[in-house]
Amino acid sequence: NAAFSLLHAFDDCGIEDSSKNLRVLWARALLNQNGKISDEVAQHFLPKISKGLVTTKAGARLFDPIVKFTEWIEARTVFIDLSLDHF
């Protein structure tokens, strides 16, 4: 929770909840930057001052060691997207 509070320290909207949904949003923006999923929307909901950490190549490289832990988000996104396309 402390890391997410820091990422939102200067967010003009503030952070009231560092729940799993917010973590998923950060992970989706990172996965989009790395070309693992297509999600241009996630980055727009992140704070302007810190979103460059996951929406630029240089910033995203900082998270290379932990990208493997976002596999469940990638798999979930693919499953939901395919289900919606099939529907």
Side-chain angles (χ1 to χ4, degrees), residues 31-67:
L31 290 168
N32 180 67
Q33 176 60 40
N34 287 340
K36 302 230 180 229
I37 66 170
S38 178
D39 187 348
E40 297 293 328
V41 176
Q43 67 183 348
H44 296 290
F45 292 105
L46 298 176
K48 291 178 185 177
I49 197 163
S50 56
K51 71 178 172 182
L53 289 172
V54 293
T55 60
T56 63
K57 288 183 182 183
R61 274 191 228 120
L62 296 171
F63 295 94
D64 281 348
I66 64 166
V67 168

Side-chain angles (χ1 to χ4, degrees), residues 1-41:
N1 284 344
F4 285 98
S5 293
L6 286 174
L7 289 171
H8 289 267
F10 302 102
D11 186 356
D12 54 352
C13 295
I15 180 173
E16 296 182 20
D17 182 10
S18 60
S19 69
K20 192 175 287 189
N21 288 332
L22 185 57
R23 295 173 192 190
V24 168
L25 189 65
W26 279 95
R28 287 178 64 95
L30 177 63
L31 290 168
N32 180 67
Q33 176 60 40
N34 287 340
K36 302 230 180 229
I37 66 170
S38 178
D39 187 348
E40 297 293 328
V41 176

Side-chain angles (χ1 to χ4, degrees), residues 59-79:
R61 274 191 228 120
L62 296 171
F63 295 94
D64 281 348
I66 64 166
V67 168
K68 63 183 174 186
F69 298 110
T70 63
E71 181 182 280
W72 70 273
I73 296 170
E74 180 182 351
R76 177 180 151 256
T77 300
V78 170
F79 173 77

